[in-house]
Amino acid sequence: MIINILAGGPIDLLPSLEKYDKENIVWVGVDRGVFTLIQKGIIPQYAFGDFDSVSSEELAVIREQVGDLQKFSPEKDETDMELAINWALQQEPTLIQLFGATGGRLDHLFANVQLLLKPILQNINTEMEIIDNKNTIYIRSAGEHSIQKMNDRKYISFVPVSGAISRLTLVGFKYPLKDCHIPLGSTLCISNELINDYGTFSFTEGILMVIRSRD
C-alpha cells in the first residue's frame, strides 16, 4: 500500500498529482491540502488538520466530501503534517509520499524534512519521501542502496543529516567515491549525476539525505 499525503504548500510547486493517483493509493489531505485535492478531482479518504487556512465555506465542502475528517485545535504539540504521518505510519504502508511540503514558510519546510527521519528513528520498514515539481527528497540509514536514473531529476545530492557519514561509496556516478568520510556540513556531494541507468551508494555509519533535482 502507498499513502499519498498532500499538505497546504504553494500550489505552483506541486507536481502533476494525476501521475501519482493510481490503484491501491490512499490519499490523505492535510489542512488546506484537503481542499486542493477536492479541486483537482481527487477525493481523499482521510483528512487531518486544524483547518485554520480554509474558509468556513471551504470547510463545509470538505466535510461533505471526505468520509473521515479529524479536526484538531490549533493549539497542539504536533503540526498537522506530523499528525497525518503518525497515522500513516500506523497503517504500515510500503511508501508514504508527501506533497505540498515545500515552499512558503521555511519553518514548515525544515519541519517536514525532519519528519522524514521518523521511520528510521522508530525502526519502521516504511519509505517516505517529499516530492515537488523540481525535487524528490528522502533519507536513508547506513547500508547499500540502489538508485535509478530519472531523466527529469538528473542531479543527485547527498547531505549528512545526523553526524558524519563514514565510508561513503558511490558507484555508477559521474563523480564516484570510495570509502569517503563526509563530515556534517560538507558540500562535497552536491550535484552529482548517474552515468548508468542504475547506481549504488553505500556507507557504514550516519544518516544521509538524498535530493534528486532538476533545473
Side-chain angles (χ1 to χ4, degrees):
M1 176 177 61
I2 296 175
I3 296 179
N4 289 342
I5 302 178
L6 177 63
I11 294 177
D12 61 335
L13 294 182
L14 294 178
S16 174
L17 296 181
E18 292 78 10
K19 175 182 176 182
Y20 301 93
D21 187 25
K22 304 175 183 178
E23 291 185 8
N24 300 319
I25 295 291
V26 175
W27 280 98
V28 176
V30 173
D31 206 71
R32 184 160 190 85
V34 186
F35 190 71
T36 301
L37 281 173
I38 293 172
Q39 285 184 310
K40 291 183 175 296
I42 300 173
I43 305 302
Q45 290 95 320
Y46 303 91
F48 295 83
D50 51 36
F51 297 100
D52 59 355
S53 61
V54 299
S55 67
S56 57
E57 292 80 9
E58 291 167 339
L59 182 56
V61 173
I62 291 171
R63 289 187 182 278
E64 180 181 347
Q65 294 287 328
V66 181
D68 193 325
L69 185 149
Q70 299 190 34
K71 190 174 185 298
F72 300 88
S73 167
E75 298 178 358
K76 55 188 182 301
D77 294 333
E78 302 90 354
T79 63
D80 294 336
M81 178 67 98
E82 185 172 10
L83 290 168
I85 288 174
N86 288 343
W87 172 87
L89 288 172
Q90 291 174 3
Q91 313 313 306
E92 300 182 350
T94 56
L95 174 65
I96 299 173
Q97 299 180 121
L98 309 179
F99 306 92
T102 61
R105 288 174 50 174
L106 286 179
D107 56 343
H108 287 173
L109 169 62
F110 284 110
N112 290 335
V113 170
Q114 186 168 261
L115 289 173
L116 292 176
L117 287 163
K118 272 184 174 285
I120 292 175
L121 297 179
Q122 297 178 16
N123 197 28
I124 297 173
N125 190 28
T126 293
E127 295 185 357
M128 188 157 62
E129 58 189 20
I130 291 173
I131 302 171
D132 65 20
N133 62 352
K134 285 193 173 184
N135 308 279
T136 298
I137 307 169
Y138 58 88
I139 290 176
R140 293 290 183 265
S141 57
E144 181 173 301
H145 308 276
S146 63
I147 186 166
Q148 183 177 2
K149 180 180 285 189
M150 298 173 65
N151 292 329
D152 62 335
R153 294 170 193 232
K154 69 175 184 177
Y155 299 111
I156 304 171
S157 298
F158 299 96
V159 181
V161 295
S162 178
I165 300 299
S166 298
R167 302 184 67 182
L168 178 62
T169 297
L170 306 180
V171 177
F173 285 81
K174 183 177 181 180
Y175 307 108
L177 290 176
K178 176 67 174 178
D179 292 337
C180 189
H181 177 81
I182 310 296
L184 191 64
S186 171
T187 61
L188 173 65
C189 297
I190 299 299
S191 268
N192 210 330
E193 301 176 41
L194 284 168
I195 57 175
N196 301 311
D197 289 338
Y198 289 88
T200 63
F201 62 97
S202 61
F203 54 105
T204 60
E205 187 175 352
I207 299 177
L208 198 62
M209 182 187 303
V210 183
I211 305 172
R212 313 198 60 174
S213 305
R214 68 176 178 87
D215 283 331

